[in-house]
Amino acid sequence: MSQEKMLVFGHQSPDTDTICSALVYADLKQQQGENVEAVRLGEVGAETQFALDAFSVKAPRFVEKVAPEAKEVILVDHNEKQQSAPDIDDVTVVEVIDHHRIANFETEGPLYYRAEPVGCTATILLKLFKEKDATISKATAGLMLSSIISDSLLFKSPTCTDEDIQAAKELAEIAETDAEQYGLEMLKAGADMSSKSVDELLMLDAKEFTMGDHTVKIAQVNVVDTADVLDRKSEVETAMNEAVKANNYGFFALAVTDILTNNSVLLITGEKAAAAEQAFNVTLDDHQALLEGVVSRKKQIVPPLTNVMIGA
Amino acid sequence: MSQEKMLVFGHQSPDTDTICSALVYADLKQQQGENVEAVRLGEVGAETQFALDAFSVKAPRFVEKVAPEAKEVILVDHNEKQQSAPDIDDVTVVEVIDHHRIANFETEGPLYYRAEPVGCTATILLKLFKEKDATISKATAGLMLSSIISDSLLFKSPTCTDEDIQAAKELAEIAETDAEQYGLEMLKAGADMSSKSVDELLMLDAKEFTMGDHTVKIAQVNVVDTADVLDRKSEVETAMNEAVKANNYGFFALAVTDILTNNSVLLITGEKAAAAEQAFNVTLDDHQALLEGVVSRKKQIVPPLTNVMIGA
């Protein structure tokens, strides 16, 4: 193995799984005698900071580019080029640990690639620790537990698998942490939208998708009180309408997900906003509808909207 | 897990690792209660048939297309679309077990992807059997052993890693087989070129590459006696020259690899044939040169030729 330093990092706009998985995998590689440093490509969010503080771990160092520091890199929690470091084409990806689809990813040579269809990268990392017979410290267990809680919204998301739940159980024991109590506090730390501006909350976790002939935008925020957002509904809709106009979106949807009730309030504007009525079998009232039991954009929001838009 | 039948298969123009790994992984999945059948996309070669006969295993069923039979498939020993089933876009790839670079591969959803930079897919499969605590029968061990011997040219190829050697040792014990003696017999079974026509031996394992501004072709055959090919040198060169003209190749190279001495005799024709002199530090004599210790096209032939051609 190379003794030159390798960098390990997750995606841009890092979430808790991306930050923690980079730290945790660096720990595993270091235990195996490899020269690896975890870094991050963006700001640490409030939820992630809560997790780092809880287990007294420093955030990874921020880097804008990776090629000036390393020839070889390891990706966690992502693989698609446009989600990675801006100069990813100038380095060699030697390993990937991920739980997403594979797209827009190509290497010149063989590599170690470990993807599994589970809810969280950390669930795969726990397997790797076991396979390598490596030591799992209390802090490392705490970070992996935090990742699983974050990605699964405390095991409520349909992306959460039995393996994720089982991994969280084992990790909670090592971390000496009550997963339910700690998890709710951590999610709440990241779900305070009252202090965010409208622009901030619309940018927090927003993704563009192509559906049929249209480009659409779907943002999501987690809250403990939907009033944090809905009290500013007209201001939010004005900003969404501006984005629709500027980018010619078919629609702009914002899912305000209540992490206590596991329902989402959907706000949707744009020419194709009515697609939501058919997709979720609801009636929009002033561009708004309650989506009961809907917490996952990937599994519960994007697919039904795509189906309607393709048919439309 | 789905109870509908899944197909598992390797690449077109199947070699021993592709055929055996499909059979072996189907065995593992069946032990886990999954409905999986190994199939193949091309003819079984003489070396592979020797391995199947040695362990009394039937070849996988040949299929032209996969979509009429299955919605979900598992790829072994490849991932690039152009090497796979012609209708691969019409099915969902749910798993990949491979030891090659990743390119021209994309999925809509998350999947299980297991790639490691080792010499042979079967080396990864042995790990999976251990991780799942599955039973390795004598025949399954024999097929995995055959794969490693084939891909590593009896541990002589620079693509062969310590993990491949260690895996082969363990497998030889389970298969109750002397790896060296059996392996040489198996390689010899696939290395009889005297019965092949010139066209056949030039097509057996030929790949096109882009090098700088040129497209080139590099074929390789394994022999126990280079005279099987060199006795027909003028006929071989005529065919190579025709291919160069028809396809506008920068050069056409044929590596005749002696599996007993682990040297290759290179025949090379075309406008850019002189690149071989610089690449291998040899002098071509009537388009021919001895490349001592060269057995791997991927690691020892393509890179030096690419370097010269890019500089040229």
Side-chain angles (χ1 to χ4, degrees):
Chain A
M1 283 287 178
S2 157
Q3 283 308 304
E4 258 189 89
K5 189 171 76 175
M6 287 190 284
L7 298 181
V8 51
F9 49 89
H11 52 77
Q12 299 167 11
S13 305
D15 59 11
T16 300
D17 189 26
T18 255
I19 294 285
C20 293
S21 288
L23 289 165
V24 166
Y25 198 48
D27 171 16
L28 176 56
K29 298 298 276 186
Q30 284 156 10
Q31 288 191 41
Q32 297 183 279
E34 297 208 53
N35 186 4
V36 171
E37 183 192 1
V39 293
R40 64 184 159 89
L41 303 178
E43 291 304 302
V44 174
E47 178 195 285
T48 308
Q49 193 58 56
F50 182 95
L52 293 169
D53 292 344
F55 296 99
S56 306
V57 179
K58 260 184 65 183
R61 183 165 58 87
F62 172 76
V63 296
E64 265 185 70
K65 294 186 169 190
V66 294
E69 301 196 38
K71 288 187 191 130
E72 299 188 334
V73 303
I74 298 170
L75 308 186
V76 293
D77 197 31
H78 76 297
N79 65 84
E80 300 190 41
K81 200 176 280 191
Q82 75 280 4
Q83 301 170 359
S84 197
D87 58 344
I88 192 72
D89 281 337
D90 301 334
V91 294
T92 302
V93 177
V94 291
E95 295 192 29
V96 178
I97 320 290
D98 192 18
H99 67 119
H100 296 93
R101 69 171 197 155
I102 298 178
N104 206 3
F105 178 79
E106 181 164 318
T107 63
E108 280 179 29
L111 76 165
Y112 183 90
Y113 199 111
R114 182 77 174 254
E116 303 197 14
V118 292
C120 178
T121 305
T123 301
I124 305 167
L125 292 178
L126 175 59
K127 278 196 197 183
L128 296 184
F129 270 82
K130 289 179 179 177
E131 286 170 18
K132 309 282 185 198
D133 217 7
T135 304
I136 305 175
S137 69
K138 189 177 157 180
T140 291
L143 295 181
M144 284 195 267
L145 176 64
S146 302
S147 291
I148 298 173
I149 290 167
S150 172
D151 270 13
S152 72
L153 226 63
L154 246 179
F155 320 122
K156 300 294 185 352
S157 170
T159 60
C160 183
T161 68
D162 289 344
E163 282 196 60
D164 298 301
I165 293 169
Q166 188 52 42
K169 261 187 204 155
E170 290 179 43
L171 291 164
E173 233 170 77
I174 302 171
E176 297 170 28
T177 298
D178 179 325
E180 291 287 337
Q181 188 190 330
Y182 165 76
L184 196 57
E185 281 177 30
M186 186 193 83
L187 291 177
K188 279 183 177 174
D192 177 12
M193 289 300 132
S194 61
S195 62
K196 304 244 182 255
S197 73
V198 164
D199 282 347
E200 280 175 331
L201 66 84
L202 284 176
M203 278 177 16
L204 208 60
D205 182 9
K207 291 185 178 173
E208 282 184 6
F209 300 86
T210 303
M211 294 183 178
D213 299 333
H214 296 272
T215 300
V216 306
K217 191 157 199 170
I218 307 178
Q220 183 172 29
V221 291
N222 293 340
V223 298
V224 284
D225 185 353
T226 56
D228 284 359
V229 176
L230 297 178
D231 280 355
R232 294 179 281 170
K233 182 174 165 182
S234 68
E235 201 190 331
V236 169
E237 285 190 1
T238 302
M240 288 166 70
N241 278 324
E242 278 167 17
V244 165
K245 214 179 272 177
N247 301 281
N248 199 24
Y249 291 138
F251 61 73
F252 190 147
L254 170 66
V256 183
T257 301
D258 187 322
I259 59 174
L260 302 181
T261 64
N262 299 304
N263 299 323
S264 292
V265 173
L266 186 78
L267 297 182
I268 184 163
T269 64
E271 199 195 327
K272 292 285 170 190
E277 300 202 323
Q278 200 186 327
F280 304 110
N281 197 21
V282 294
T283 305
L284 289 171
D285 179 7
D286 192 22
H287 313 118
Q288 178 177 333
L290 178 69
L291 308 183
E292 285 189 60
V294 169
V295 297
S296 166
R297 176 170 51 195
K298 180 164 76 172
K299 284 225 170 181
Q300 296 174 296
I301 297 178
V302 172
L305 280 170
T306 306
N307 284 339
V308 173
M309 291 294 285
I310 286 172
Chain B
M1 285 287 178
S2 157
Q3 283 310 302
E4 256 189 90
K5 189 171 75 175
M6 286 190 285
L7 299 180
V8 51
F9 48 89
H11 52 76
Q12 298 167 11
S13 304
D15 59 11
T16 300
D17 189 26
T18 256
I19 294 285
C20 292
S21 288
L23 289 165
V24 166
Y25 198 48
D27 172 16
L28 175 56
K29 299 297 276 186
Q30 283 157 9
Q31 288 191 41
Q32 298 183 278
E34 298 207 52
N35 186 4
V36 171
E37 182 190 2
V39 294
R40 64 184 161 89
L41 304 177
E43 290 305 300
V44 174
E47 177 195 287
T48 307
Q49 193 59 54
F50 182 94
L52 292 170
D53 291 345
F55 297 98
S56 307
V57 178
K58 261 184 66 183
R61 184 166 58 89
F62 171 76
V63 296
E64 266 187 68
K65 295 188 169 187
V66 293
E69 299 196 40
K71 288 187 191 131
E72 300 188 332
V73 302
I74 297 170
L75 309 186
V76 294
D77 197 32
H78 76 297
N79 65 85
E80 300 191 40
K81 201 176 281 192
Q82 74 282 5
Q83 301 171 359
S84 197
D87 57 345
I88 191 71
D89 281 336
D90 301 335
V91 293
T92 302
V93 177
V94 291
E95 295 192 29
V96 178
I97 319 290
D98 192 18
H99 67 120
H100 296 92
R101 71 171 196 152
I102 298 177
N104 206 3
F105 179 79
E106 181 165 318
T107 63
E108 281 180 28
L111 77 166
Y112 183 90
Y113 199 111
R114 183 75 173 254
E116 302 196 16
V118 292
C120 178
T121 306
T123 301
I124 306 167
L125 291 179
L126 176 59
K127 279 195 195 182
L128 295 184
F129 270 82
K130 289 179 179 176
E131 287 170 16
K132 309 281 185 198
D133 217 7
T135 305
I136 305 175
S137 69
K138 189 178 159 181
T140 291
L143 295 181
M144 285 195 267
L145 175 65
S146 303
S147 291
I148 297 173
I149 290 167
S150 172
D151 270 14
S152 73
L153 226 64
L154 244 179
F155 320 121
K156 300 295 185 351
S157 169
T159 58
C160 184
T161 68
D162 290 343
E163 282 196 59
D164 298 302
I165 294 168
Q166 187 52 43
K169 261 188 206 156
E170 290 179 44
L171 291 165
E173 231 168 81
I174 302 171
E176 298 171 25
T177 299
D178 180 324
E180 291 289 336
Q181 188 189 332
Y182 165 76
L184 196 57
E185 280 176 32
M186 187 193 81
L187 290 176
K188 279 182 179 174
D192 176 13
M193 291 299 134
S194 61
S195 62
K196 304 242 181 258
S197 74
V198 165
D199 282 346
E200 279 173 331
L201 65 86
L202 285 177
M203 276 179 13
L204 208 59
D205 181 10
K207 292 185 179 175
E208 284 185 5
F209 300 87
T210 304
M211 294 184 178
D213 299 332
H214 295 273
T215 300
V216 306
K217 191 157 198 171
I218 307 178
Q220 183 173 27
V221 292
N222 293 340
V223 298
V224 284
D225 185 353
T226 56
D228 283 358
V229 176
L230 297 177
D231 280 357
R232 294 179 279 170
K233 183 175 164 182
S234 69
E235 200 190 334
V236 169
E237 285 192 0
T238 302
M240 288 167 69
N241 279 324
E242 279 167 16
V244 165
K245 213 179 272 179
N247 302 281
N248 199 24
Y249 290 137
F251 61 72
F252 189 147
L254 170 66
V256 183
T257 301
D258 187 321
I259 59 174
L260 301 180
T261 64
N262 299 304
N263 300 324
S264 292
V265 172
L266 186 79
L267 297 181
I268 184 164
T269 63
E271 199 194 326
K272 292 285 168 189
E277 299 202 324
Q278 200 186 327
F280 304 109
N281 197 23
V282 295
T283 304
L284 289 171
D285 179 7
D286 191 21
H287 313 117
Q288 177 176 336
L290 179 67
L291 307 184
E292 285 190 58
V294 169
V295 298
S296 168
R297 176 171 51 194
K298 179 164 77 173
K299 285 223 169 183
Q300 296 174 297
I301 298 178
V302 171
L305 281 169
T306 305
N307 284 338
V308 173
M309 292 293 286
I310 285 172

